[in-house]
């Protein structure tokens, strides 16, 4: 019998204060499955890691891989873990920084597309990155991850 371990991801949720209020930076998942979706297709920049890698190091590594930018050095606020409907456990930290979404150079992944075509295509990990107010972010992000927004507002008081 094969024991399947739970997949784990770690990421950084950037936030900033503007005249409009608190905003968070989310990435729109790349690839053909999410190309025409908006609600539920935005995520904290994150990625999977192996059990022997510390989650904090994975979050910083994945930030660089997904956005092509050095992870910010600001104070990291732990947002804890959530379990997504897929069973994946996501751990996140919030960091206050004002990043220009135009500066990202997304990492890529390859997959067979269309299915069973034998054609391997390359897609961006995140095809768009944007700042959103908390209400709009809740509408767009992967449902399970919205708990991070409440935790962030609790931490900021």
């Amino acid at each position: 019998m094969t024991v399947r371990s739970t997949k784990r991801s770690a990421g950084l949720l950037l936030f900033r204060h503007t005249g409009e209020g608190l905003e968070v930076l989310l990435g729109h998942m790349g690839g053909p499955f999410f190309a025409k979706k908006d609600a539920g297709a935005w995520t904290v920049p994150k990625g999977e890691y192996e059990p022997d890698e510390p989650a904090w190091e994975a979050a910083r590594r994945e930030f660089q891989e997904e956005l092509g930018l050095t992870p910010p050095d600001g104070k990291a606020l732990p947002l804890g873990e959530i379990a997504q409907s897929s069973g994946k456990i996501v751990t996140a930290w919030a960091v206050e920084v004002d990043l220009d979404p135009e500066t990202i150079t997304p990492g890529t992944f390859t997959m067979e597309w269309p299915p069973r075509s034998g054609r391997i295509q390359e897609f961006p990990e995140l095809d768009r990155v944007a700042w959103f107010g908390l209400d709009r972010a809740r509408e767009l992000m992967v449902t399970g991850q919205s708990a991070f927004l409440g935790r962030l507002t609790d931490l900021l008081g």
Side-chain angles (χ1 to χ4, degrees):
M1 183 168 112
T2 304
V3 175
R4 196 172 156 175
S5 62
T6 301
K7 289 186 178 183
R8 301 184 77 78
S9 284
L12 300 179
L13 178 63
L14 301 189
F15 70 96
R16 68 182 183 183
H17 296 276
T18 71
E20 304 293 313
L22 187 63
E23 294 183 338
V24 293
L25 187 79
L26 300 177
H28 184 270
M29 292 182 273
F33 298 118
F34 300 100
K36 295 181 180 175
K37 286 186 175 183
D38 216 23
W42 291 80
T43 182
V44 172
K46 62 171 180 44
E48 291 184 10
Y49 65 99
E50 297 298 322
D52 61 342
E53 182 180 16
W56 170 246
E57 289 177 21
R60 293 181 56 79
R61 175 183 50 75
E62 286 294 335
F63 183 91
Q64 184 146 9
E65 287 179 14
E66 298 235 340
L67 301 181
L69 300 172
T70 302
D73 287 327
K75 179 182 175 185
L77 305 173
L79 299 176
E81 295 181 340
I82 57 102
Q84 294 187 165
S85 59
S86 65
K88 180 185 285 185
I89 304 296
V90 180
T91 305
W93 288 263
V95 180
E96 185 171 11
V97 65
D98 192 0
L99 179 144
D100 179 357
E102 297 297 316
T103 63
I104 71 155
T105 306
T108 60
F109 67 96
T110 57
M111 66 181 284
E112 181 181 17
W113 190 260
R116 296 176 297 286
S117 67
R119 285 185 48 206
I120 302 298
Q121 294 191 50
E122 187 174 58
F123 299 96
E125 297 264 359
L126 299 173
D127 59 18
R128 290 175 275 157
V129 175
W131 290 100
F132 296 102
L134 296 182
D135 289 341
R136 185 69 177 139
R138 276 187 193 91
E139 294 171 4
L140 295 175
M141 71 192 307
V142 173
T143 304
Q145 293 180 20
S146 65
F148 290 139
L149 302 179
R151 293 175 188 176
L152 174 61
T153 57
D154 289 348
L155 285 171
L156 297 177

